[in-house]
Amino acid sequence: METITTDMLLMLAPLFVVQLILLVVALLDLRRVADTRGPKWLWLIIILFVNIVGPIVYFIVGRKQ
Amino acid sequence: MRNFTVLLQKEWREHVRNYRILWLPLVFLLLGMMDPLTYYFMDDLLQAVGNLPEGMQITIPKVSAVDMIVATAGQLLSIGTIVFIALYCGSISGERKNGTATLLYVRPVHGGVIFMSKWVMAAFMGALTTFCAIAASGYYAEIFYGQLPIVRVALFVGIYFVFLLAVITFTLMLSAWTTTAIAAATSIVVIIVGMMLDSIIGTYWVYSPFKLSAYGLQYVESGIVPEQLMMTMLVTGAFIVVSGLLGIVLTQLNKRQTNV
């Protein structure tokens, strides 16, 4: 397997950027809301360590509407 | 009309405050990027995680740019639909539960205005997210696999949007009628089971809202407009109008039944 080239990284860059924005927005929201569905520290771990899906799951399930 | 503008502003502000205006398009951007990227890097991915024996050969079929759009469309139809149901099943019933609705119900605002303001906002989000997903997918498809038939894809987006509108209207109608939980469960069951039934015994009828997505996929794959498409569009349009009107009536009914 060839090593990762800069070309490949450039192609994947938008993916990482979108993921990063999603993560930051989820963290901002988590800091702002008073209460979540389930303990707050658990959501922090999920958002930080579950790639891509973590912030999405937080927004759909974790928020109290 | 004045009421409507004010309520629409309220919906908009709500979407901005809970960041929905930001994260929902981002999620769909990711959804659109996923398929072209996994297909393109399939070889590397398999080698990196696959634990394959030495000398193993896998032939990956040659795909075209349109195939990527088809794959993304499949994602939109399953994941996208469920996300929209999950997000909007509580938009009217939730307000009834947390008390915001009572504030509205004591004012001379018609139920139709309340329902329509929510519907317009949901439809706007639907259009925005569909555009994001298809644009992301199309961008990568063009880079990796060459030219896309733009007109065909654009038409498909239109067809899919009508399908999504049907889903949104149905969900909002249920939300106006019952509680959040029942609305979510019913609309997911109706739409998932409906799709399944339609693919199993759907050969006995040609026009149903569920068929619209199938015809859309068929069209984007082959470029030939299925002859039943027009009629299916009309049926789906009628379905949207009926459930929209029902939703308005139910919202109005709810308003009358509220004791303050």
Side-chain angles (χ1 to χ4, degrees):
Chain A
M1 184 189 167
E2 77 228 90
T3 46
I4 298 166
T5 56
T6 24
D7 251 18
M8 248 159 119
L9 274 184
L10 273 180
M11 271 175 202
L12 291 175
L15 189 70
F16 296 132
V17 172
V18 170
Q19 194 192 338
L20 194 71
I21 300 174
L22 211 56
L23 191 130
V24 170
V25 173
L27 286 179
L28 280 178
D29 190 69
L30 188 69
R31 208 187 71 159
R32 210 187 47 134
V33 296
D35 202 12
T36 51
R37 205 172 288 170
K40 223 170 170 176
W41 58 268
L42 188 67
W43 282 115
L44 183 71
I45 293 172
I46 292 176
I47 292 169
L48 282 179
F49 295 109
V50 184
N51 261 333
I52 302 180
V53 188
I56 301 175
V57 171
Y58 165 69
F59 276 123
I60 295 176
V61 183
R63 286 187 54 101
K64 278 194 175 155
Q65 300 288 337
Chain B
M1 202 57 213
R2 179 83 196 277
N3 282 340
F4 179 72
T5 331
V6 170
L7 280 177
L8 198 60
Q9 274 171 6
K10 163 185 161 288
E11 287 304 311
W12 172 261
R13 208 159 292 155
E14 195 183 331
H15 276 69
V16 172
R17 291 246 171 96
N18 60 21
Y19 294 112
R20 194 178 276 180
I21 203 84
L22 198 60
W23 68 264
L24 203 53
L26 286 179
V27 168
F28 279 77
L29 271 180
L30 281 177
L31 203 65
M33 283 178 200
M34 250 0 163
D35 271 296
L37 281 176
T38 30
Y39 271 92
Y40 189 73
F41 291 111
M42 187 68 92
D43 222 13
D44 299 306
L45 281 174
L46 282 177
Q47 278 178 7
V49 298
N51 218 355
L52 296 176
E54 222 25 64
M56 177 94 165
Q57 292 221 327
I58 298 173
T59 41
I60 297 169
K62 202 102 185 85
V63 286
S64 66
V66 174
D67 289 330
M68 290 301 103
I69 299 290
V70 172
T72 305
Q75 301 276 31
L76 278 180
L77 282 172
S78 52
I79 302 177
T81 310
I82 288 181
V83 167
F84 264 87
I85 294 175
L87 287 180
Y88 288 99
C89 63
S91 58
I92 297 177
S93 51
E95 284 199 345
R96 230 169 23 236
K97 199 168 156 230
N98 70 16
T100 322
T102 327
L103 293 175
L104 281 178
Y105 289 166
V106 293
R107 286 175 173 77
V109 181
H110 191 264
V113 176
I114 300 173
F115 185 84
M116 280 317 284
S117 69
K118 302 214 172 277
W119 187 83
V120 168
M121 196 60 212
F124 170 72
M125 290 310 286
L128 184 66
T129 53
T130 309
F131 174 77
C132 279
I134 296 292
S137 173
Y139 170 72
Y140 274 117
E142 286 246 331
I143 290 182
F144 295 151
Y145 303 106
Q147 200 66 36
L148 263 183
I150 297 291
V151 180
R152 222 200 276 177
V153 174
L155 245 163
F156 171 73
V157 169
I159 296 170
Y160 171 73
F161 182 59
V162 174
F163 176 76
L164 189 64
L165 271 188
V167 172
I168 288 172
T169 320
F170 186 67
T171 311
L172 280 181
M173 185 266 282
L174 283 173
S175 180
W177 187 16
T178 58
T179 59
T180 308
I182 300 176
T186 316
S187 46
I188 284 181
V189 165
V190 164
I191 283 156
I192 305 272
V193 171
M195 272 182 184
M196 253 162 35
L197 275 185
D198 214 82
S199 60
I200 296 170
I201 52 170
T203 38
Y204 295 111
W205 58 85
V206 271
Y207 312 122
S208 84
F210 300 109
K211 279 260 190 319
L212 189 61
S213 51
Y215 289 144
L217 283 178
Q218 213 175 312
Y219 167 71
V220 77
E221 262 174 328
S222 62
I224 307 159
V225 181
E227 47 187 308
Q228 302 94 339
L229 183 68
M230 225 36 235
M231 200 56 204
T232 313
M233 277 284 219
L234 283 180
V235 171
T236 314
F239 176 77
I240 292 173
V241 171
V242 168
S243 39
L245 286 179
L246 206 60
I248 291 174
V249 170
L250 287 168
T251 317
Q252 189 64 16
L253 213 66
N254 256 310
K255 190 184 161 179
R256 286 221 195 92
Q257 283 168 353
T258 318
N259 312 310
V260 184

